[in-house]
DNA sequence: ATATTTTTTTAGGCTAATCTAAATTTTAAA
DNA sequence: TTTAAAATTTAGATTAGCCTAAAAAAATAT
């Protein structure tokens, strides 16, 4: 019932790929996500199948079993709780925590996570606005949309990001933009889909199409 | 410059064995400490020697190099800081933290440890009274002695333990005895070297020879 | 419907870390 | 000082996780 570092990473990758497609996941997609080779993935899929974490049919991709889904969500829960710890308690910036959490998410101790969750005040979201699954593996789905999908003037709250790269997160920080801040869309450029927004009723900024497709918001009222 | 989980455990084991003997460490001692086989140890010693962490002569044991000593102390520093975190912040008991710290000590991030140290208020001792090496790998040596070595009536402060087993630590907790508490030795039994002590001026207890050799104290005045 | 391209699997090999059994060296005993 | 015992190393295998190259299957284009 305890899996290796590597096995957990495969399960997490398969879960995340399944969040988008939701049909069976291909060997090549997993290889791309984990920066490894298709042959290596095939080897591992056999092992994960033996352990009943996935259902696997040669040449036809994989799906997580219920056991696999639970395992993935437990790892994601740990990752996100540790990220909260790193930002809230140790004062890391939100663009610095992912790689450390990639290591911490593989520490095995249910009691540790129970107590960490308690210590952090049972947070519901991580520093990037991603929801934290509960002990049972239940994760409420986000009611946020990409700002590019809102596609309408008005006021919004920044609730999350799609792109988690350091470069993007730093860019947002440089704009003095953080989770919970207000974005008022004042104009949308029809030619290139760039947005003119007012941040926290203070400073106006231009956000490119690429930027507005990578931030999640909720409309105010 | 970053070593594997396994390599770090070997280096730590060699360091700890060196703390007692301080002549060259034998293959068999390392095998015993790590619950592995002598042949396995020999294999690893060659690898550690290649990496300049130890000096190794066939059939004549090993010693840590300066690089090896630094590596060991860095791992010990991480272990002890995490133990402080688990007890002080997450409210684990002192007998519950070792196994979790065994995992956490292998997380690689200098910045994480710097910030954790800061967060904990730069503690000098772990929950078992063991000193925490600083960033440079400097660890002040304990001025404490085993209560059995004091061997004299009088008042003492409990400053640490030799045996770190759950069983022993639980036993001390059951006696309402924790670090910093006062022990007044009222009588020493000449026959079996058991001690009659008063704990915190409140309740008298009998401590066996095995117990008094496993606790560290400092005499008061 | 057949040929070409893409995807996936198999075959065979590598390294780190482990093991058991056998050989060798050192140490201790007679 | 020879011999027996103990410690250590070598030899040979195993497993997890990874790789490249070749074969096979599936998807796509003609
Ligand atoms: Mn992350
Ligand atoms: Mn995150
Ligand atoms: Mn410990
Ligand atoms: Mn300790």
């Amino acid at each position: 019932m305890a899996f290796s570092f590597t096995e957990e990473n495969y399960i997490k990758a398969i879960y995340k790929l399944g969040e988008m497609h939701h049909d069976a996941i291909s060997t090549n997609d997993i290889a791309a996500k984990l920066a490894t080779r298709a042959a290596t993935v095939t080897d591992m899929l056999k092992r994960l199948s033996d352990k009943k974490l996935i259902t696997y049919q040669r040449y036809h991709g994989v799906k997580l079993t219920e056991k696999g889904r639970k395992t993935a969500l437990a790892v994601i829960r740990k990752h996100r709780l540790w990220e909260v710890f790193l930002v809230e308690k140790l004062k890391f910036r939100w663009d610095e925590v992912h790689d450390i959490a990639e290591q911490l998410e593989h520490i095995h101790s249910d009691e540790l996570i129970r107590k960490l969750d308690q210590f952090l005040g049972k947070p519901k979201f991580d520093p990037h606005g991603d929801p934290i699954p509960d002990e049972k593996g239940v994760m409420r789905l986000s009611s946020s949309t990409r700002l590019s999908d809102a596609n309408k003037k008005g006021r919004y709250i920044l609730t999350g990001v799609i792109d988690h790269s350091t470069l993007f997160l730093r860019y947002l920080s440089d704009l003095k933009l953080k989770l919970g801040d207000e974005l008022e869309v004042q104009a949308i450029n029809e030619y290139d889909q760039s947005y003119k927004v007012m941040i926290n009723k203070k400073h106006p900024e231009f956000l490119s199409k690429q930027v507005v497709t990578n931030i999640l918001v909720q409309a105010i009222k």
Side-chain angles (χ1 to χ4, degrees), chain A:
Chain A
M1 266 288 182
F3 305 106
S4 74
F5 192 101
T6 309
E7 288 166 338
E8 289 185 345
N9 282 338
Y10 272 85
I11 290 299
K12 192 166 57 120
I14 295 167
Y15 178 88
K16 294 212 163 179
L17 290 167
E19 272 184 325
M20 327 179 199
H21 306 305
H22 106 270
D23 36 347
I25 310 306
S26 78
T27 302
N28 258 4
D29 285 352
I30 298 167
K33 177 136 237 187
L34 295 176
T36 183
R37 298 317 183 99
T40 306
V41 172
T42 301
D43 274 356
M44 179 58 86
L45 295 184
K46 287 174 194 156
R47 249 172 284 145
L48 296 176
S49 184
D50 290 346
K51 297 192 177 187
K52 312 286 184 204
L53 290 164
I54 59 173
T55 53
Y56 169 51
Q57 295 182 84
R58 260 158 69 262
Y59 291 104
H60 291 90
V62 296
K63 279 194 154 156
L64 288 184
T65 60
E66 186 53 25
K67 185 181 174 190
R69 214 183 60 91
K70 284 271 172 62
T71 302
L73 284 162
V75 175
I76 289 168
R77 172 172 163 78
K78 290 193 277 182
H79 183 103
R80 293 180 180 170
L81 283 173
W82 280 117
E83 283 190 347
V84 173
F85 169 70
L86 294 171
V87 168
E88 296 294 318
K89 302 296 182 179
L90 297 198
K91 308 303 176 192
F92 277 94
R93 291 193 311 263
W94 70 340
D95 58 281
E96 299 175 313
V97 297
H98 181 78
D99 291 349
I100 300 175
E102 282 292 307
Q103 297 181 64
L104 287 165
E105 72 187 9
H106 302 292
I107 302 288
H108 290 298
S109 167
D110 291 346
E111 190 60 12
L112 172 61
I113 292 307
R114 219 184 52 70
K115 288 194 141 98
L116 180 65
D117 186 38
Q118 190 82 32
F119 178 60
L120 298 173
K122 300 187 178 292
K124 296 288 168 277
F125 299 94
D126 87 357
H128 311 105
D130 295 311
I132 299 174
D134 69 18
E135 327 76 61
K136 308 274 184 200
V138 178
M139 182 165 63
R140 54 236 124 250
L141 40 82
S142 167
S143 58
S144 300
T145 51
R146 300 164 114 105
L147 180 52
S148 54
D149 289 344
N151 199 39
K152 209 167 57 156
K153 289 186 201 175
R155 291 161 58 223
Y156 300 89
I157 296 291
L158 178 64
T159 57
V161 293
I162 304 284
D163 182 357
H164 287 61
S165 72
T166 297
L167 201 58
F168 183 59
L169 297 176
R170 283 271 179 93
Y171 169 70
L172 295 184
S173 298
D174 289 347
L175 290 174
K176 303 262 177 289
L177 196 48
K178 59 184 189 309
L179 295 192
D181 285 355
E182 182 188 310
L183 290 169
E184 185 181 350
V185 176
Q186 299 182 322
I188 302 175
N189 182 320
E190 280 189 46
Y191 173 63
D192 66 0
Q193 270 76 51
S194 68
Y195 281 47
K196 185 185 176 196
V197 301
M198 180 69 77
I199 296 180
N200 289 321
K201 300 185 196 296
K202 288 204 198 84
H203 50 110
E205 298 285 351
F206 280 94
L207 302 181
S208 71
K209 182 184 178 181
Q210 198 190 344
V211 169
V212 296
T213 52
N214 275 301
I215 62 186
L216 293 169
V217 297
Q218 281 176 15
I220 297 182
K221 259 156 288 128

